[in-house]
């Protein structure tokens, strides 16, 4: 139990450092646009809501609070960069932002499909 807690703490510290490094040098427009992504979202490809937190963390979390997946997100150069860990490997995926409004946004996935998000809160 303690070992898994310390792994989680190390992983969260790693993600925090990634966000700190990536967030330096953002323009005012990027910062303003980034704020529009913060919140609870329903995507067109997931049943479980996606939470984008102001501190740069993201979670796919059930209503009972169970976290299914998490990582770090960053908005830069009209893309959202998702960093996550599967098993012991850290990966990053970048998706082009096609449109963003206060209550919705759309991304182009790596396979060129489009995913839509509707704000839930």
């Amino acid at each position: 139990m303690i070992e898994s807690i310390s792994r989680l703490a190390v992983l969260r510290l790693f993600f925090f450092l990634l966000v700190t490094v990536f967030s330096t040098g953002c323009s005012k427009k990027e910062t303003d646009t980034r704020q529009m992504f913060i919140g609870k979202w329903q995507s067109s490809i997931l049943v479980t809501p996606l939470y984008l937190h102001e501190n740069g963390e993201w979670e796919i979390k059930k209503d009972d609070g169970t976290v299914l997946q998490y990582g770090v997100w960053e908005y830069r150069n009209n893309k959202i960069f998702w960093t996550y860990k599967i098993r012991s490997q850290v990966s990053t995926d970048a998706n082009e932002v096609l449109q963003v409004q206060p209550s919705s946004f759309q991304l182009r996935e790596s396979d060129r499909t489009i995913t839509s998000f509707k704000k839930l809160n």
Side-chain angles (χ1 to χ4, degrees), residues 41-44 50 103-107 115-119:
W41 300 91
Q42 183 64 58
S43 88
S44 58
L50 168 71
S103 62
S104 66
F105 67 95
Q106 289 184 330
L107 302 177
T115 301
S116 300
F117 295 81
K118 301 269 187 222
K119 197 162 203 175

Side-chain angles (χ1 to χ4, degrees), residues 63-115:
D63 289 336
D64 69 2
T66 305
V67 176
L68 302 175
Q69 191 174 9
Y70 66 94
V72 177
W73 70 279
E74 177 198 4
Y75 175 74
R76 178 174 33 103
N77 298 328
N78 202 42
K79 292 182 180 179
I80 293 184
F81 294 84
W82 308 94
T83 302
Y84 52 93
K85 184 176 180 183
I86 296 179
R87 294 179 203 71
S88 61
Q89 184 175 352
V90 176
S91 299
T92 300
D93 187 24
N95 300 122
E96 177 186 5
V97 176
L98 300 176
Q99 68 88 2
V100 60
Q101 299 173 0
S103 62
S104 66
F105 67 95
Q106 289 184 330
L107 302 177
R108 183 177 318 279
E109 301 288 345
S110 312
D111 65 1
R112 310 294 294 157
T113 60
I114 296 172
T115 301

Side-chain angles (χ1 to χ4, degrees), residues 12-36:
R12 286 193 182 262
L13 177 61
F14 171 75
F15 285 146
F16 173 76
L17 292 173
L18 278 176
V19 169
T20 302
V21 168
F22 284 132
S23 65
T24 57
C26 291
S27 70
K28 169 95 168 99
K29 183 177 188 272
E30 280 187 329
T31 301
D32 291 346
T33 302
R34 181 188 182 282
Q35 292 297 316
M36 293 176 75

